[in-house]
Every structure is written in structure tokens, then in C-alpha cells.
Amino acid sequence: MTSTRARLAPWLGLVLALVLVGLAFGLPRWLEWEVASRAPRNASDLEVPPLHGLWHPQLLGPGTVPALLLALLGWRYGPGLAERLPWRRLLLASYAAGLAWLLALALVDGTSGLTRVLGNDYEYLPTAREVDDVGALLRGYVDRIPYAHEDNWPTHVAGHPPGALLFFVLLVRVGLGGDLAAALVVVALAATTALAVLTTLRALDAEDVARRAAPFLVLTPAAVFMAVSADALFAAVAAWGLAALALAATAPGRGALVAWSLLAGLLLGYGSLMSYGLPLLGVVALAVLLAARSWWPLPLAAGTALAVVLGFAAAGFAWWEAYPVLSERYWDGIAADRPASYWLWANLGALLVCAGPLLGAGLAYAAAGARRLSRPAVLLVAAAAVAMAAADLSRMSKAETERIWLLFVPWLTVSLGLLPPAWRRWGLGLQVAGALVVQHLLYTSW
């Protein structure tokens, strides 16, 4: 990469990202476009497309001071600690800081910042409390997806395979079915996502990139949308499935290869029964194997994942039968009121709010220097970008991508670990500042 190209690429990416975000927020208001971001709670509410939320400034909340302290300490000391700490201590510190960051941002709105989402009637938890027969649930799941059914599923239950609902059924049955208890479980699991990505990079001989990316993965602006979002749970399951696949592909012996491959298949197979979008991460799975230069785990991992899906089919839920029915419900509902002329590109604006505007710089730098930068990291970033583009162009995703694309955000964030040192230092400040601004100025629905 020439010095001029290396110098200009991140600036171009950052400027384009900021312009895209500005247009995504501004054009619907300036041109009075009807883009059906969400239904306002009352006439005075101001919608904020491309996000699924409302303008609701709150300059101080219970979590504000802890969030500011974490942001300042993370910006000042995070990069240095990530470079120096022994690996296991780095993982432990990353989990502790990430968990604190998630909780602090959510608690800006008080305890309701943790409970209001999962306790919503459109979400999984209220339905999970009513489930008393899992077998009957699976056998009748597809029938209850259409709006026409007199007892149709709530929005999020209908919009996902039953694996998501069954997770919350499990929480209810072990005594963690309260709004706050379930929220804390989701937060605790969501905070492990960064560790899975770091583990994947190290397994693929990219520990240097993992250490540089760690502060960005931990103090991610996506934490605003992760804290109590079931989609963050799906992202965590997928990330650990990919980490297991990387460990399988680099395993020193046959036994370890088989064990990690089985675990990867179980996690990715069950993950595909939590979210219809998760199979798109198959592109990232192939990138993992390509980066490891080993295809040995593929048959066993893929076979195990398929066995999980077929097991659910034998129990009454066939993924391939459910998805077309969901698609009909989707297009009978709000999707018909969300114009593709806006959302095909505004989806990216929502992503940049979720992942932070520095993502534009990271992706541009990775693209410009793909041949000279860490091969495993570039492959993971490129694969995540391809998967995201497929979701966008297929119109599988149309709005709410600040939540839906949490599957892709951690892998795209790896690109920030490829940026030059000067960019990483002030760029981390930009990322945490963006998270604080979004959390304090907007009422986010996730």
C-alpha cells in the first residue's frame, strides 16, 4: 500500500460514513419521507429513522457517571493494557470491562433500561412464561406465524425460529424468568461476544490484531443495542460457534479437532434455529477455514449443524417450511410500508450508528491494504461484509439493522484493529463518545 493511499483511505471511509449517517437521519425529515421507522407513542414523539427509536434527550441517569468513567479509563488505559496483559488476563479484563460497559449504558435509563425490552409483549419472555408443552409448541409453531391465525405469535416470536423462544422458556423453568433476571442473563452472555472474536483471531495466528481490536470490541457503541437484545444473544452464540470452528481448524490432534468441530456444529446449528439470518454467517465460517488453511472440520461441523436442524424438523419445526410463511407475514405487515429506495442504503446508516462511525475508516483501510495487512483479519472482515450485503440486497433486512445486524458487527469491528496507531488512539475516543451520545439523546427500542 503506498503511503498516500494508506493515509487517504481511512479519511475517505470516515467522511463517507459520516455523510451516510447524516443523510439517513436528515432526508426523511427534510423531504418529509414516510419510511415507517416505528409507530410514535404519541403525536409529540419525534421518530429518528434509520433507528427504531425516538428523540428523547436524557442528560443524566443512574448509569451516566459510571459510563463516563469507563469511557475515559478505557480510552486512556485500554489500548496499553490490551498490548501488555497476558492472554488469559486480557480475556478476563475484557469480559469485566465489557459487562460493566453494557450495564452502565443500559442503566442510564434506570432499571427500566434493563427490563423494558424483554418484558414487552412483542418479545419472547411474556410468551415463554405461558409455554407448558414444548412438543406442542414445536408442532404448532409454523401454523401460528401468519397474521390470519386467531392466536398468532407476537412479532419477535413469529419473526424467529423457536430456538430463541426456547432459550427464554429454559430461563423461566430454572427460575430466571423475571424481567430483570432474564435481562441480566442476556447481558452476561452478550458480554462474551468480544472474547469469542479475540479467541478466533488468536487461533488463526492474528493475536496482534486481536490485541489492537480488543478495546474496540469491548467499548463498542453496539453496547447501546446489545444490553437486553435477544439479537445480542444470537450474536454471542454465533461468535462462539465460529471460535470453536477456528480452534478445530488449528487443533494439534485428531481428538481436539473432533471435539471442537462438534461444538462448532452444535452452536451454529442451534444458532440457525434462533435467527433466520444466522446462516449468512456461513460465509464467515468459510473464511475461518480459509484463514486456517484447513477444511478438515467442515464435514463434521456441517453435519452436526444439519443434525440439529433436522432434529427440530423431526420434533415438528422445519426451518425450510417456516421461512416462507414468515416472509408472507413480513410483507403483509410493516415491511410493505418501508420503501426499499430508502432502506437499502439507510440500513448501512443504522449499522454505522450501532458499530460506530470509525467503522467506515476501518473498512476502507482494510480494503485498500488487503494484500499487506493480516490475512486472517482481512478475510473475517470481508466475509462479514459479504454476509451483511447479502442480507441488505435480498431485503431480508429492512430497517432495525442496529439490532438485526449485531450478528455482523463484531466481525466488522475487527477492521478497527488494522488501523494505524494514531487512528486507533483518537478513534477509540470517537467510538465511546458516539455510544454516550446515542444513549443519552435517543430512546432506543432495544
Side-chain angles (χ1 to χ4, degrees):
M1 191 182 341
T2 65
S3 58
T4 301
R5 187 179 179 187
R7 189 169 58 251
L8 292 180
W11 282 112
L12 178 60
L14 178 61
V15 169
L16 289 176
L18 292 173
V19 169
L20 180 59
V21 170
L23 291 175
F25 276 101
L27 288 183
R29 178 148 297 274
W30 299 332
L31 302 180
E32 298 183 350
W33 287 352
E34 293 293 335
V35 296
S37 168
R38 62 164 285 151
R41 291 177 294 177
N42 57 62
S44 63
D45 286 336
L46 181 63
E47 297 179 80
V48 286
L51 301 184
H52 195 64
L54 302 167
W55 174 255
H56 184 71
Q58 180 177 339
L59 299 183
L60 186 64
T64 299
V65 173
L68 283 170
L69 286 174
L70 284 166
L72 288 171
L73 291 173
W75 172 78
R76 175 64 181 85
Y77 299 107
L81 288 173
E83 292 286 348
R84 295 192 304 270
L85 285 175
W87 184 254
R88 290 184 181 180
R89 291 185 183 179
L90 172 61
L91 293 181
L92 181 61
S94 295
Y95 181 73
L99 181 62
W101 182 237
L102 285 164
L103 289 171
L105 288 173
L107 289 172
V108 168
D109 296 328
T111 55
S112 68
L114 290 170
T115 59
R116 72 170 186 246
V117 173
L118 292 183
N120 190 294
D121 288 340
Y122 292 105
E123 291 280 346
Y124 309 92
L125 194 54
T127 301
R129 293 174 183 142
E130 299 173 359
V131 174
D132 55 13
D133 186 336
V134 171
L137 179 149
L138 292 175
R139 290 189 295 273
Y141 202 90
V142 176
D143 292 338
R144 294 177 63 181
I145 292 175
Y147 277 121
H149 193 283
E150 60 181 8
D151 189 24
N152 63 73
W153 294 120
T155 302
H156 285 277
V157 177
H160 295 81
L165 177 59
L166 290 178
F167 173 81
F168 289 97
V169 171
L170 175 63
L171 291 188
V172 171
R173 295 195 174 181
V174 298
L176 296 172
D179 292 354
L180 182 58
L184 292 175
V185 172
V186 171
V187 171
L189 293 175
T192 69
T193 304
L195 279 61
V197 178
L198 296 177
T199 299
T200 303
L201 286 168
R202 189 171 190 250
L204 297 176
D205 198 26
E207 182 178 334
D208 55 339
V209 179
R211 290 180 176 275
R212 295 196 298 267
F216 296 101
L217 290 163
V218 171
L219 297 177
T220 173
V224 173
F225 308 98
M226 288 171 62
V228 290
S229 167
D231 288 78
L233 175 65
F234 311 156
V237 171
W240 281 111
L242 293 169
L245 189 65
L247 291 169
T250 55
R254 183 175 300 176
L257 185 154
V258 170
W260 286 118
S261 297
L262 288 172
L263 179 59
L266 287 172
L267 289 171
L268 295 173
Y270 191 79
S272 69
L273 291 161
M274 301 179 88
S275 168
Y276 289 107
L278 193 139
L280 289 173
L281 284 181
V283 181
V284 183
L286 293 176
V288 167
L289 297 177
L290 183 61
R293 294 184 169 90
S294 173
W295 298 97
W296 288 108
L298 182 59
L300 189 54
T304 304
L306 182 60
V308 173
V309 174
L310 293 178
F312 268 73
F317 174 84
W319 194 100
W320 54 90
E321 292 177 357
Y323 186 74
V325 179
L326 167 63
S327 182
E328 290 180 13
R329 169 166 171 160
Y330 180 58
W331 287 102
D332 285 342
I334 197 170
D337 299 322
R338 289 174 170 171
S341 58
Y342 172 74
W343 288 109
L344 277 173
W345 60 271
N347 281 341
L348 303 177
L351 169 73
L352 289 165
V353 174
C354 175
L358 193 66
L359 181 64
L363 293 178
Y365 191 75
R371 294 184 178 180
R372 301 196 176 201
L373 298 172
S374 166
R375 178 176 176 270
V378 169
L379 283 172
L380 291 175
V381 171
V386 169
M388 180 190 66
D392 193 31
L393 296 175
S394 68
R395 295 191 292 172
M396 177 185 286
S397 301
K398 194 160 66 163
E400 305 180 35
T401 51
E402 70 274 17
R403 166 185 65 85
I404 298 169
W405 286 358
L406 286 173
L407 289 169
F408 311 130
V409 167
W411 305 101
L412 296 171
T413 300
V414 170
S415 68
L416 305 186
L418 300 173
L419 286 168
W423 271 83
R424 296 199 303 273
R425 169 59 68 180
W426 70 262
L428 182 59
L430 176 65
Q431 292 289 92
V432 296
L436 292 168
V437 167
V438 171
Q439 180 63 57
H440 285 82
L441 294 186
L442 303 179
Y443 176 96
T444 58
S445 299
W446 322 112

